[in-house]
Protein backbone atom coordinates (compact mmCIF):
# COMPACT_ATOMS: atom_id res chain seq x y z
CA UNK A 1 0.00 0.00 0.00
CA UNK A 2 1.37 3.40 -0.95
CA UNK A 3 0.85 6.44 1.25
CA UNK A 4 1.17 10.00 -0.07
CA UNK A 5 1.31 13.35 1.68
CA UNK A 6 1.11 16.67 -0.18
CA UNK A 7 2.41 20.11 0.60
CA UNK A 8 -0.43 22.57 1.12
CA UNK A 9 0.12 25.98 -0.44
CA UNK A 10 -2.26 28.80 -1.35
CA UNK A 11 -3.67 28.98 -4.88
CA UNK A 12 -1.75 32.09 -5.87
CA UNK A 13 1.58 30.61 -4.72
CA UNK A 14 1.03 27.41 -6.67
CA UNK A 15 0.09 29.31 -9.84
CA UNK A 16 2.36 32.36 -9.49
CA UNK A 17 4.33 31.61 -12.67
CA UNK A 18 1.11 31.38 -14.70
CA UNK A 19 -0.21 34.66 -13.29
CA UNK A 20 3.06 36.53 -13.84
CA UNK A 21 3.53 35.04 -17.33
CA UNK A 22 0.11 36.21 -18.47
CA UNK A 23 0.68 39.63 -16.87
CA UNK A 24 4.02 40.05 -18.70
CA UNK A 25 2.49 39.08 -22.04
CA UNK A 26 -0.43 41.50 -21.58
CA UNK A 27 2.02 44.26 -20.59
CA UNK A 28 4.15 43.56 -23.65
CA UNK A 29 1.19 43.74 -26.02
CA UNK A 30 -0.10 46.90 -24.33
CA UNK A 31 3.36 48.47 -24.57
CA UNK A 32 3.61 47.68 -28.30
CA UNK A 33 0.19 49.15 -29.03
CA UNK A 34 0.89 52.36 -27.13
CA UNK A 35 4.48 53.10 -28.18
CA UNK A 36 5.83 52.42 -31.67
CA UNK A 37 9.28 53.72 -30.80
CA UNK A 38 12.35 51.44 -30.95
CA UNK A 39 12.51 51.51 -27.15
CA UNK A 40 8.85 50.45 -27.06
CA UNK A 41 9.58 47.57 -29.39
CA UNK A 42 12.51 46.55 -27.19
CA UNK A 43 10.27 46.70 -24.10
CA UNK A 44 7.65 44.62 -25.95
CA UNK A 45 10.30 42.01 -26.72
CA UNK A 46 11.51 41.88 -23.12
CA UNK A 47 7.98 41.63 -21.69
CA UNK A 48 7.06 38.87 -24.14
CA UNK A 49 10.30 36.98 -23.42
CA UNK A 50 9.73 37.18 -19.65
CA UNK A 51 6.11 36.10 -20.10
CA UNK A 52 6.98 33.09 -22.21
CA UNK A 53 9.77 32.05 -19.82
CA UNK A 54 7.34 32.20 -16.87
CA UNK A 55 4.75 30.16 -18.77
CA UNK A 56 7.36 27.61 -19.81
CA UNK A 57 8.52 27.21 -16.21
CA UNK A 58 4.91 26.93 -15.02
CA UNK A 59 4.01 24.15 -17.45
CA UNK A 60 7.36 22.32 -17.27
CA UNK A 61 8.15 22.17 -13.55
CA UNK A 62 5.98 20.18 -11.15
CA UNK A 63 3.52 22.21 -9.07
CA UNK A 64 2.75 19.71 -6.33
CA UNK A 65 5.32 18.67 -3.76
CA UNK A 66 4.57 15.14 -2.59
CA UNK A 67 6.22 12.58 -0.37
CA UNK A 68 5.02 9.03 -0.88
CA UNK A 69 6.16 5.70 0.44
CA UNK A 70 5.35 2.03 0.36
CA UNK A 71 6.92 -0.97 2.08
CA UNK A 72 10.25 -0.63 0.27
CA UNK A 73 11.02 2.99 -0.57
CA UNK A 74 10.39 6.66 0.15
CA UNK A 75 9.89 8.92 -2.88
CA UNK A 76 9.95 12.74 -3.06
CA UNK A 77 8.41 14.48 -6.08
CA UNK A 78 8.17 18.15 -6.95
CA UNK A 79 11.17 19.84 -5.36
CA UNK A 80 13.16 19.12 -8.49
CA UNK A 81 12.48 17.80 -11.96
CA UNK A 82 13.43 14.23 -11.17
CA UNK A 83 11.89 12.44 -8.25
CA UNK A 84 14.24 11.21 -5.54
CA UNK A 85 13.89 7.70 -4.17
CA UNK A 86 15.31 6.29 -0.96
CA UNK A 87 15.16 2.61 -0.06
CA UNK A 88 14.18 2.12 3.56
CA UNK A 89 16.85 -0.55 3.98
CA UNK A 90 19.53 2.04 3.05
CA UNK A 91 18.35 4.78 5.46
CA UNK A 92 20.60 4.59 8.50
CA UNK A 93 19.33 7.63 10.41
CA UNK A 94 16.83 10.48 10.01
CA UNK A 95 16.22 13.75 11.80
CA UNK A 96 13.35 16.22 11.64
CA UNK A 97 14.34 19.83 12.11
CA UNK A 98 12.25 23.01 11.83
CA UNK A 99 11.56 22.88 8.07
CA UNK A 100 13.88 20.06 7.02
CA UNK A 101 14.04 16.31 7.01
CA UNK A 102 17.59 14.99 7.02
CA UNK A 103 18.01 11.43 5.76
CA UNK A 104 21.35 9.75 6.24
CA UNK A 105 22.06 6.78 3.99
CA UNK A 106 25.59 5.80 4.99
CA UNK A 107 28.75 7.40 6.32
CA UNK A 108 29.22 9.64 3.27
CA UNK A 109 25.77 10.23 1.81
CA UNK A 110 22.73 12.05 3.00
CA UNK A 111 19.92 14.26 1.76
CA UNK A 112 18.12 17.28 3.12
CA UNK A 113 14.47 17.60 2.13
CA UNK A 114 12.40 20.74 2.54
CA UNK A 115 9.22 19.86 4.46
CA UNK A 116 7.91 23.38 4.97
CA UNK A 117 4.20 23.57 4.19
CA UNK A 118 3.29 19.99 5.10
CA UNK A 119 0.68 19.45 7.81
CA UNK A 120 1.95 18.28 11.18
CA UNK A 121 -0.26 15.17 11.27
CA UNK A 122 1.08 14.16 7.82
CA UNK A 123 4.63 14.58 9.11
CA UNK A 124 3.77 12.47 12.16
CA UNK A 125 2.62 9.71 9.80
CA UNK A 126 5.93 9.94 7.94
CA UNK A 127 7.87 10.00 11.22
CA UNK A 128 6.11 6.85 12.41
CA UNK A 129 6.96 5.06 9.14
CA UNK A 130 10.61 6.06 9.37
CA UNK A 131 10.73 4.92 12.98
CA UNK A 132 9.58 1.42 11.93
CA UNK A 133 12.70 1.17 9.81
Amino acid sequence: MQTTIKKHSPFWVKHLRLISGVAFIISGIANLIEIEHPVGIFMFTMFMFAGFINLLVYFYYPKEVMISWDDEKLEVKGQQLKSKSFLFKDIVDFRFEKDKLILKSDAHRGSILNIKGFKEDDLQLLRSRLTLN
Side-chain angles (χ1 to χ4, degrees):
M1 182 176 109
Q2 185 162 352
T3 308
T4 302
I5 59 175
K6 292 183 181 182
K7 183 177 182 178
H8 302 281
S9 56
F11 174 82
W12 68 273
V13 171
K14 190 185 301 184
H15 301 291
L16 184 61
R17 294 285 185 185
L18 176 66
I19 295 167
S20 63
V22 170
F24 272 120
I25 289 175
I26 290 171
S27 298
I29 292 171
N31 197 13
L32 182 67
I33 291 171
E34 184 158 323
I35 303 172
E36 293 185 7
H37 193 270
V39 174
I41 294 172
F42 174 76
M43 292 299 291
F44 161 76
T45 306
M46 291 296 105
F47 276 125
M48 294 300 282
F49 180 72
F52 285 126
I53 292 295
N54 276 313
L55 291 176
L56 178 72
V57 167
Y58 175 78
F59 288 113
Y60 187 68
Y61 280 90
K63 291 167 253 334
E64 293 283 332
V65 177
M66 297 184 297
I67 300 175
S68 59
W69 63 90
D70 56 13
D71 294 335
E72 298 176 3
K73 66 181 177 187
L74 174 75
E75 193 169 18
V76 180
K77 298 177 185 175
Q79 292 179 330
Q80 61 282 332
L81 286 177
K82 288 184 171 181
S83 62
K84 287 185 179 182
S85 294
F86 306 95
L87 294 174
F88 282 119
K89 66 178 183 161
D90 293 339
I91 297 175
V92 177
D93 191 20
F94 69 93
R95 189 172 68 225
F96 282 88
E97 292 189 358
K98 183 179 178 185
D99 293 329
K100 296 179 182 107
L101 169 60
I102 301 170
L103 296 173
K104 187 172 181 181
S105 297
D106 57 22
H108 303 289
R109 288 188 28 215
S111 293
I112 300 173
L113 305 174
N114 184 7
I115 55 173
K116 185 177 182 179
F118 287 93
K119 290 184 178 177
E120 189 59 39
D121 54 342
D122 290 342
L123 292 177
Q124 284 290 46
L125 186 63
L126 176 61
R127 185 177 285 124
S128 66
R129 176 57 185 104
L130 285 170
T131 305
L132 288 177
N133 191 29

